[in-house]
Amino acid sequence: METTNPATNERIDTYEADSADDVDAALDRATDAYADWREVPMRERQELLVNAAAILRDRKREFAELMTREMGKPISQAESEVEKCAWGCEHYAEYAEAYLADEYYPSPPGTTAKTQYDPIGPVLAVMPWNYPFWQVFRFAAPSLAAGNVGLLKHASNVPGCALAIEEIFREAGFPEGVFQSLLIPSDLVDDIVEDDRVRAATLTGSGPAGRAVASTAGDQLKPTVLELGGSDPFIVFDDADLDAAAETGALARNLNGGQSCIAAKRFIVHESVAEAFTEKLVDEVEALTVGDPMDEDTDVGPQSSEGAMEHLHEQVEASVEAGATVLAGGEPMDREGAYYPPTVLTDIPANCPADSEELFGPVASVFTVGDEAQAIEKANDTRFGLGASIWTEDRDRGERVAGRIDAGCTFINQLTKSDPRVPFGGVKDSGYGRELSKEGIHEFVNRKTVWIE
């Protein structure tokens, strides 16, 4: 496996991939580790998560620079990601015991009926490159706290991050085999999912990858959680604070180079404020600093690779050929590296890529609607259903509209985000299941009914 710095297109390092024998040995270690780990008292598991959080904070700059070198995330955003991972560990260190406490039910006098939450075994996590630490920790912290063990198949362009995460858990004191990284190609994933030693799988990534894992796991009757991307609406009503909406919208579209499942992608704006909002959005987008991701002042770094940047531009070109208008950006930048500028499109025809596909980069698609009903219809006119953001000064209106949006999470006067305290996940082609909060830790446990006579 070779890693390339997308800011310079220079090779960083080469890693030896794990062989089939290496994978088999790792699965044996996971099985042996699980037999002991499931018996470790919750208090000890929580203490180890606190240790992991401390390591993340102590070595924050080191891990942030690793992310930035491998996938181009601006260094300030990479540092924030490491902090969020530490927060996630601390959240489950504090709340896992309560989330997994026995629940009692009515039963005849002299009997006890309850649900207890038991771990289920080794869980395979297939994770993407765009948030190479957070995506892993939001799986690992609850799963390890519950008594499961983790096997990570990370994206092939971030092997250094994968190995660093394994090192964090080892240094924190987690026993050997409780969390392992497998440096393998994607074509070995099905074999691992099918293996009797693996009891469940979770995947964040593309629709085809999710369908493949779900199909294999379903054939083996194994539970899965899938988060498969989105084309999130950002709805701006006529009574919205346009300055706040434009400022937050520019951030929500361009964070992480726009390479986020929950980025604001389709801006759906009431016709009475469409011109004013779009002007403000363009101003905010053009004020963003594009540059070296190692520079603290950079807002937008490169795309993850030349191939990703070229695919994004093909989608923009096809949309413009269909009739879309470019108000900002729209062409690869004339500089070394996989740089694409923050871009705003309007006058977007139906069924062109900017309308119907997920644009995984810094491209905002602006649509105009005449009323609330049209806004809801346009928001739901997608095969995705991950997140949504609604902007209005009328909180009752915002809550009413949120109830009609087909999405796993909706935010009113705020950008869509994941937070350890609340469930995260999608519907439709954005996947199923939930991560984080109490619901996330319950995805990979045996909800066992115990009746005591």
Side-chain angles (χ1 to χ4, degrees):
M1 288 186 180
E2 291 187 351
T3 53
T4 301
N5 184 338
T8 63
N9 291 329
E10 295 176 348
R11 190 175 72 181
I12 304 169
D13 213 337
T14 301
Y15 297 81
E16 185 175 351
D18 290 327
S19 67
D21 288 342
D22 293 330
V23 172
D24 188 62
L27 293 177
D28 277 344
R29 284 193 297 272
T31 301
D32 293 342
Y34 171 63
D36 295 329
W37 179 246
R38 65 175 299 168
E39 303 300 332
V40 171
M42 173 62 76
R43 185 58 58 90
E44 292 184 29
R45 295 182 212 153
Q46 292 170 309
E47 289 172 355
L48 295 179
L49 284 174
V50 171
N51 293 347
I55 293 167
L56 284 160
R57 288 204 171 93
D58 288 345
R59 298 169 62 186
K60 176 170 66 175
R61 185 72 183 191
E62 172 191 345
F63 297 138
E65 289 181 353
L66 175 60
M67 277 190 270
T68 298
R69 285 195 305 272
E70 288 197 328
M71 52 72 61
K73 186 188 302 289
I75 189 67
S76 59
Q77 296 173 30
E79 289 188 332
S80 297
E81 182 169 337
V82 178
E83 282 284 352
K84 191 170 186 177
C85 294
W87 178 27
C89 288
E90 290 168 344
H91 177 83
Y92 282 101
E94 183 174 358
Y95 293 105
E97 189 169 19
Y99 289 159
L100 297 173
D102 292 350
E103 295 186 32
Y104 291 85
Y105 304 97
S107 61
T111 66
T112 300
K114 67 177 183 178
T115 295
Q116 68 183 42
Y117 298 96
D118 295 341
I120 59 173
V123 181
L124 174 67
V126 182
M127 291 290 124
W129 49 262
N130 59 333
Y131 287 92
F133 268 61
W134 172 238
Q135 302 277 14
V136 177
F137 275 90
R138 79 184 190 193
F139 148 74
S143 197
L144 299 184
N148 298 314
V149 301
L151 294 156
L152 170 64
K153 189 282 182 218
H154 218 326
S156 59
N157 61 330
V158 289
C161 292
L163 295 176
I165 294 168
E166 179 180 321
E167 179 189 350
I168 290 166
F169 285 117
R170 183 168 58 248
E171 186 178 330
F174 286 81
E176 181 183 2
V178 168
F179 186 92
Q180 300 176 79
S181 287
L182 307 176
L183 300 187
I184 58 172
S186 297
D187 57 11
L188 291 184
V189 168
D190 274 357
D191 291 341
I192 297 174
V193 175
E194 287 180 342
D195 195 290
D196 289 341
R197 290 166 290 184
V198 172
R199 299 311 312 150
T202 181
L203 177 142
T204 298
S206 69
R211 285 181 170 86
V213 166
S215 177
T216 303
D219 188 59
Q220 302 297 317
L221 298 179
K222 295 178 182 179
T224 52
V225 169
L226 304 179
E227 195 266 275
L228 306 178
S231 186
D232 286 9
F234 188 100
I235 302 171
V236 182
F237 283 119
D238 50 350
D239 62 344
D241 180 333
L242 298 187
D243 290 331
E247 180 180 4
T248 302
L251 178 67
R253 173 61 279 199
N254 293 285
L255 269 174
N256 202 39
Q259 301 163 121
S260 173
C261 301
I262 53 172
K265 297 188 174 106
R266 294 176 300 130
F267 290 77
I268 299 167
V269 190
H270 191 277
E271 61 186 7
S272 66
V273 296
E275 182 177 354
F277 171 79
T278 304
E279 288 178 359
K280 292 177 184 293
L281 179 65
V282 169
D283 288 344
E284 293 286 348
V285 159
E286 291 182 335
L288 295 172
T289 300
V290 182
D292 181 358
M294 286 293 184
D295 189 329
E296 299 283 352
D297 294 328
T298 292
D299 299 308
V300 181
Q303 299 298 281
S304 63
S305 68
E306 284 286 335
M309 187 266 288
E310 290 168 0
H311 176 65
L312 178 68
H313 186 51
E314 288 171 0
Q315 291 175 303
V316 171
E317 284 187 310
S319 299
V320 171
E321 289 173 5
T325 301
V326 178
L327 298 183
E331 292 285 344
M333 299 183 72
D334 185 18
R335 58 176 297 167
E336 185 177 47
Y339 286 91
Y340 203 84
T343 296
V344 179
L345 303 178
T346 189
D347 303 322
I348 298 165
N351 300 318
C352 74
D355 175 57
S356 61
E357 298 177 11
E358 179 180 21
L359 272 57
F360 209 66
V363 180
S365 301
V366 180
F367 302 88
T368 300
V369 293
D371 56 29
E372 182 178 302
Q374 289 181 13
I376 294 168
E377 180 181 8
K378 186 60 183 176
N380 290 335
D381 184 22
T382 172
R383 68 182 189 276
F384 297 106
L386 187 54
S389 183
I390 302 165
W391 289 78
T392 174
E393 291 293 275
D394 184 342
R395 295 181 65 175
D396 291 336
R397 180 192 205 182
E399 194 168 359
R400 179 179 68 248
V401 172
R404 296 185 60 193
I405 300 297
D406 297 333
C409 47
T410 55
F411 288 75
I412 300 166
N413 298 327
Q414 178 59 272
L415 57 79
T416 304
K417 54 189 175 182
S418 60
D419 184 308
R421 297 166 294 189
V422 295
F424 178 81
V427 296
K428 301 196 293 188
D429 279 13
S430 290
Y432 54 76
R434 292 295 178 265
E435 297 177 291
L436 302 173
S437 186
K438 181 177 181 178
E439 284 73 12
I441 202 171
H442 281 181
E443 288 286 358
F444 296 127
V445 294
N446 174 16
R447 302 169 178 85
K448 181 187 291 181
T449 296
V450 177
W451 185 287
I452 305 168
E453 191 70 37

